[in-house]
């Protein structure tokens, strides 16, 4: 059953070219099928002994157990403490994410460090990156306000950037490069992230059995009655199955336990990030506008002139975005064309208006995502020439093979293959 499980790998920067080194010390990349079989046999033996981590040369391979591994983490922490107290070298420590983190941390004296987290979808990359971050924050700024802020970025980024796919209930649909900044004494001073390839196509279209980004469900379910009234939302706005973008037949299709956090925990995470705390209501407004845009439909079909089918829907979107209903409807259902020196207004066809609506929906969500990242960076980043010491972690979202791959997924598949 091991080969049907999925594995994530952590590579130090200088070994990122390796495909799969053999288990023998000092060897290069695998050169035969026999070596690969031996590697799998060794992984299987360790996995059967509840050892999910294996060091293969400079690479740490983690086999996803699809279960909490707190006992493994606590055991490794105890071993780390005992070995460090005895003056053991880092290379003598047990195979674990903590060891990779410690090697990078100790290596700061030689210069900036980089770690690559790679693997197919469901391999455990998101959890691996989270454990890596938690350990580095714990050893370098435990108990500080920065420590709290760094850890609270996890539920925020997972809510806005992860979704259920065919293979994975919490699949990262974006890539990120996280930089942790340290002082010369090894104290964490700040952090910032760069994101890329957010899967925008998922916002307006998902495959059967898949879901949209977690935060859309979390906010749709979690808003209080007072907030719904404040936003001017119609009755029934708390019925998550009523929003087409959520791809649900009934509310029971959502497995809330698989989500990174509930609405209360998400608002608490926002409250810890100073630059986001007072922006919560605005973010929820944009998310609800995205959901209502998904419900916007038109009379007629194909090449017919587009007319909004339910004016109440476009009115709800306009209220949420603080714009005029008539202007919003005009922007979606018509286009301005220049004829000579004059501009004329031409009705959009139903097909074209639907494309405009989808483009607006994706633009709203992707810009909100970028804004969230920007505000997180404002709260965490430490600027200045003294920030010469840093650890960079690249988390590439995973290989997937859908019946129809999005452009973003195609790019990621290509990057993972390379």
């Amino acid at each position: 059953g091991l080969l049907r499980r999925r594995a994530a790998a952590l590579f130090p920067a200088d070994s990122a070219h390796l495909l799969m080194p053999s288990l023998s010390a000092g060897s290069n990349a695998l050169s035969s099928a026999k070596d690969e079989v031996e590697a799998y046999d060794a992984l299987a033996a360790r996995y059967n002994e509840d050892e999910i981590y294996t060091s293969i040369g400079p690479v740490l391979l983690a086999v996803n157990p699809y279960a909490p591994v707190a006992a493994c983490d606590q055991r490794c922490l105890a071993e780390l403490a005992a070995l460090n107290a005895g003056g053991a070298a880092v290379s003598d420590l047990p195979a674990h994410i903590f060891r990779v983190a410690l090697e990078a941390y100790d290596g700061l004296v030689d210069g900036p460090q980089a770690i690559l987290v790679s693997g197919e979808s469901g391999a455990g990359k998101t959890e691996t990156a989270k454990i890596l971050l938690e350990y580095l924050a714990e050893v370098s700024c435990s108990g500080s306000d920065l420590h709290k802020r760094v850890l609270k970025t996890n539920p925020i980024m997972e809510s806005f950037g992860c979704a259920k796919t065919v293979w994975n209930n919490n699949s990262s649909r974006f890539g990120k490069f996280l930089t942790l900044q340290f002082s010369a004494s090894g104290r964490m001073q700040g952090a910032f992230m760069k994101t890329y390839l957010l899967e925008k196509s998922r916002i307006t279209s998902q495959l059967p059995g898949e879901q949209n980004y977690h935060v859309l469900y979390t906010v749709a379910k979690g808003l209080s009655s007072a907030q719904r009234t404040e936003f001017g939302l119609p009755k029934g706005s708390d019925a998550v199955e009523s929003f087409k973008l959520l791809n649900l037949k009934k509310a029971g299709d959502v497995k809330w336990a698989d989500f990174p956090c509930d609405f209360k925990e998400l608002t608490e995470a926002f409250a810890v990030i100073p630059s986001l705390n007072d922006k919560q209501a605005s973010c929820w407004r944009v998310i609800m506008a995205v959901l209502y845009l998904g419900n916007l439909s038109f009379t007629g079909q194909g090449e017919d002139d587009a007319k909004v089918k339910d004016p109440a829907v476009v009115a709800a979107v306009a209220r949420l975005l603080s714009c005029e209903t008539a202007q919003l409807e005009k922007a979606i259902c018509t286009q301005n064309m220049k004829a000579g020196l004059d501009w004329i207004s031409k009705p959009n066809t139903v097909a074209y208006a639907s494309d405009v609506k989808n483009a607006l929906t994706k633009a709203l969500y992707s810009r909100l995502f970028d804004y969230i990242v920007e505000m997180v960076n404002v709260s965490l980043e430490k600027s200045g020439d003294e920030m010469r010491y840093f650890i960079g972690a690249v988390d590439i979202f995973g290989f997937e093979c859908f019946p129809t791959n999005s452009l973003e997924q195609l790019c990621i598949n290509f990057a993972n293959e390379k």
Side-chain angles (χ1 to χ4, degrees):
L2 176 68
L3 299 186
R4 291 195 296 271
R5 294 183 178 272
R6 295 163 182 266
L10 279 79
F11 302 82
D14 59 358
S15 67
H17 64 283
L18 296 179
L19 177 61
M20 172 71 84
S22 77
L23 288 169
S24 58
S27 64
N28 295 319
L30 284 176
S31 57
S32 69
K34 180 182 178 183
D35 289 330
E36 189 169 346
V37 170
E38 289 177 352
Y40 278 122
D41 287 344
L43 291 172
R46 288 181 59 79
Y47 183 84
N48 291 333
E49 296 175 358
D50 294 327
E51 298 288 351
I52 66 170
Y53 299 110
T54 302
S55 291
I56 309 177
V59 176
L60 176 71
L61 192 68
V63 181
N64 193 345
Y66 295 100
V69 290
C72 174
D73 293 344
Q74 291 300 322
R75 184 173 72 249
C76 184
L77 274 176
E79 291 179 14
L80 278 171
L83 289 169
N84 279 339
V90 175
S91 58
D92 295 330
L93 301 178
H96 197 280
I97 301 171
F98 294 161
R99 171 178 161 178
V100 174
L102 188 58
E103 286 178 330
Y105 184 66
D106 287 352
L108 285 171
V109 295
D110 299 320
Q113 303 291 304
I115 300 169
L116 172 63
V117 185
S118 182
E120 63 181 321
S121 183
K125 298 181 300 302
T126 298
E127 285 300 314
T128 296
K130 187 191 305 182
I131 296 170
L132 185 76
L133 176 61
E134 289 174 351
Y135 180 81
L136 288 170
E138 180 66 29
V139 299
S140 62
C141 63
S142 179
S144 68
D145 182 58
L146 176 63
H147 182 222
K148 296 177 184 177
R149 281 181 277 144
V150 167
L151 296 185
K152 288 300 182 182
T153 62
N154 281 326
I156 294 174
M157 295 309 301
E158 285 187 45
S159 292
F160 280 86
C162 294
K164 177 185 176 182
T165 66
V166 173
W167 294 107
N168 187 355
N169 289 336
N170 189 39
S171 177
S172 294
R173 308 316 300 159
F174 71 105
K176 71 172 180 284
F177 179 70
L178 176 65
T179 301
L180 303 176
Q181 302 165 306
F182 297 86
S183 67
S185 63
R187 183 83 174 167
M188 188 184 292
Q189 299 287 296
F192 69 91
M193 74 178 82
K194 293 181 179 179
T195 61
Y196 52 92
L197 289 176
L198 176 70
E199 191 181 37
K200 298 178 185 177
S201 58
R202 178 169 298 275
I203 301 163
T204 56
S205 176
Q206 307 91 43
L207 295 174
E210 296 201 338
Q211 292 180 359
N212 216 318
Y213 290 102
H214 294 322
V215 72
L216 298 174
Y217 302 83
T218 303
V219 174
K221 180 177 184 288
L223 286 177
S224 66
S225 298
Q227 287 171 313
R228 295 178 193 278
T229 301
E230 177 190 350
F231 296 166
L233 300 181
K235 291 183 179 179
S237 63
D238 57 342
V240 293
E241 68 273 16
S242 67
F243 295 108
K244 295 179 181 178
L245 291 185
L246 299 187
N247 199 24
L248 299 172
K249 293 182 179 178
K250 57 183 183 298
D253 292 340
V254 182
K255 296 182 179 179
W256 299 105
D258 292 335
F259 281 42
C261 63
D262 59 25
F263 186 69
K264 181 176 181 293
E265 292 166 333
L266 182 60
T267 57
E268 289 172 350
F270 265 66
V272 172
I273 309 295
S275 52
L276 280 176
N277 185 30
D278 61 347
K279 307 296 192 304
Q280 291 190 44
S282 298
C283 292
W284 311 151
R285 279 180 175 274
V286 173
I287 286 172
M288 293 308 295
V290 165
L291 290 173
Y292 273 102
L293 275 171
N295 285 359
L296 186 61
S297 58
F298 309 95
T299 58
Q301 57 184 356
E303 297 302 311
D304 296 339
D305 289 351
K307 293 183 180 179
V308 171
K309 190 173 184 179
D310 185 356
V313 175
V314 73
V317 176
R319 279 196 304 273
L320 290 163
L321 297 179
S322 301
C323 62
E324 295 291 333
T325 302
Q327 290 296 319
L328 178 60
E329 184 173 349
K330 181 180 179 182
I332 294 173
C333 295
T334 65
Q335 58 180 305
N336 290 330
M337 303 179 65
K338 193 168 186 179
L341 298 177
D342 299 322
W343 287 91
I344 61 172
S345 180
K346 174 183 177 295
N348 286 333
T349 64
V350 171
Y352 192 85
S354 296
D355 289 341
V356 171
K357 178 199 72 170
N358 288 338
L360 175 59
T361 304
K362 289 186 278 191
L364 281 171
Y365 188 85
S366 61
R367 291 188 183 187
L368 175 62
F369 180 85
D370 290 342
Y371 178 77
I372 294 292
V373 173
E374 180 185 350
M375 289 299 99
V376 167
N377 285 338
V378 165
S379 176
L380 299 181
E381 186 175 2
K382 174 74 172 180
S383 59
D385 295 336
E386 72 278 8
M387 291 296 107
R388 301 189 305 273
Y389 306 96
F390 65 85
I391 297 175
V394 181
D395 182 6
I396 301 177
F397 75 78
F399 181 94
E400 295 255 17
C401 189
F402 298 124
T404 303
N405 282 327
S406 65
L407 173 62
E408 298 92 346
Q409 188 65 58
L410 176 64
C411 293
I412 286 299
N413 287 353
F414 180 77
N416 274 301
E417 288 289 348
K418 288 294 183 181

